[in-house]
Amino acid sequence: MSEPILEMKNISKNFGSVIALKNVDLEVYPGEIRGLIGENGSGKSTISSIAAGMQKATSGRMTFKKQSWEPASMIDALQNGIGMVVQESGTISGVTVAENIFLAELSQFRNKLGMINKKAMNQKATEAMRAIGVEHVIGDMPIDSLDFQTRKLVEIAKVMLKNPDILVIDETSTALSQDGREIMYSLIRKLRDSGKAIIFISHDLDVIRAVCQRVAVMHQGKIVEMGTAEEVFGNPQHDYTKKLLSARMMI
């Protein structure tokens, strides 16, 4: 196996007296889809959001591409190689598809008079949607005219526009139709095949089993089991994992 592209060592996160993560170690490798499973509150989204710049760890350290990794924000992380599609809505109402995609980068479309070239921005946004396989959404559409699952595809297009080295998918599949899921699965497989990495969180154990090579099982802020999908699903070594699989828990 190659060297990890992302290393997270002794990551802890406290929210006041609540301990969300307890000295978690996680390595992610190029060319892999890494699944994270566990019940709600187990720490899956927390560890991923720390890697993607959404929040800071209370303690621990991270390296990304062999360099210290301390993103100031999700925008900073995306600009430098780690993008995340969040479980909740990540679009802004009251503006267009294009403005959602390029919200932090409007300056690239300003002319010499400081005005936004909306035609160019809308065209780039339309191209971004088509690049992920969505033909019916164009840049000048009001974001509020789209349903929740289509907004999710806009979020995916925004992240994919940056061609991230690591893509974090947090429960997004549950918000998508079957067509939307197929678009997402195709994208993550293309990323994997090009040597990129994906951190994939899902409630659906069948999806995790089908798309992920390696799986980490989280419970009460710790990783309690980790291995290939075959090892974790075929011969779980931890009592919690056995319970998870036997009950077919929708985590």
Side-chain angles (χ1 to χ4, degrees):
M1 183 174 290
S2 60
E3 294 184 359
I5 187 173
L6 174 69
E7 293 183 273
M8 307 180 75
K9 298 292 186 183
N10 297 316
I11 301 296
S12 295
K13 179 65 179 179
N14 301 339
F15 295 99
S17 61
V18 177
I19 301 173
L21 296 173
K22 305 174 186 177
N23 298 316
V24 174
D25 291 348
L26 181 66
E27 295 180 346
V28 179
Y29 291 83
E32 79 162 340
I33 304 173
R34 169 63 65 89
L36 292 182
I37 61 175
E39 80 276 20
N40 288 335
S42 62
K44 309 183 301 296
S45 295
T46 303
I47 191 70
S48 301
S49 64
I50 289 171
M54 182 185 293
Q55 57 185 324
K56 300 288 187 181
T58 302
S59 61
R61 62 183 179 85
M62 297 186 289
T63 58
F64 174 54
K65 297 192 287 189
K66 299 184 179 180
Q67 301 294 320
S68 178
W69 181 245
E70 297 179 7
S73 65
M74 291 185 73
I75 293 173
D76 181 34
L78 179 57
Q79 293 284 357
N80 289 284
I82 298 182
M84 182 174 186
V85 182
V86 299
Q87 181 177 4
E88 301 80 14
S89 176
T91 55
I92 297 173
S93 294
V95 298
T96 65
V97 167
E99 287 166 327
N100 266 279
I101 290 176
F102 295 109
L103 186 62
E105 301 176 299
L106 293 178
S107 60
Q108 68 177 291
F109 298 105
R110 292 189 188 279
N111 60 26
K112 293 180 180 179
L113 299 177
M115 303 293 289
I116 298 293
N117 185 338
K118 290 190 177 181
K119 182 178 179 180
M121 182 174 67
N122 290 337
Q123 179 61 33
K124 287 286 187 182
T126 301
E127 291 171 1
M129 296 305 300
R130 289 176 177 166
I132 68 165
V134 179
E135 300 287 338
H136 67 285
V137 176
I138 59 176
D140 63 356
M141 281 182 171
I143 197 73
D144 296 316
S145 70
L146 306 179
D147 58 23
F148 183 76
Q149 67 162 342
T150 309
R151 290 190 189 197
K152 275 293 159 195
L153 294 174
V154 172
E155 294 174 45
I156 293 171
K158 177 179 180 177
V159 172
M160 291 301 298
L161 195 61
K162 292 299 182 183
N163 192 26
D165 295 296
I166 298 178
L167 174 64
V168 181
I169 299 287
D170 186 1
E171 302 288 5
T172 300
S173 60
T174 59
L176 298 175
S177 66
Q178 186 59 39
D179 287 345
R181 292 184 187 192
E182 290 303 321
I183 287 171
M184 185 180 69
Y185 299 153
S186 175
L187 286 172
I188 64 176
R189 289 182 175 119
K190 286 179 181 177
L191 284 173
R192 176 200 63 195
D193 293 345
S194 66
K196 310 288 188 177
I198 300 92
I199 299 173
F200 191 87
I201 302 169
S202 177
H203 282 165
D204 192 327
L205 299 185
D206 291 330
V207 169
I208 290 285
R209 187 194 300 264
V211 305
C212 299
Q213 294 106 312
R214 291 169 58 79
V215 178
V217 183
M218 298 198 69
H219 181 54
Q220 296 182 347
K222 297 180 179 180
I223 292 178
V224 297
E225 189 168 356
M226 186 153 46
T228 67
E230 285 186 0
E231 291 168 342
V232 170
F233 288 106
N235 186 30
Q237 300 299 309
H238 193 276
D239 287 343
Y240 168 71
T241 310
K242 293 177 183 177
K243 177 181 177 182
L244 180 74
L245 297 176
S246 64
R248 303 294 298 161
M249 287 176 61
M250 298 308 287
I251 20 192

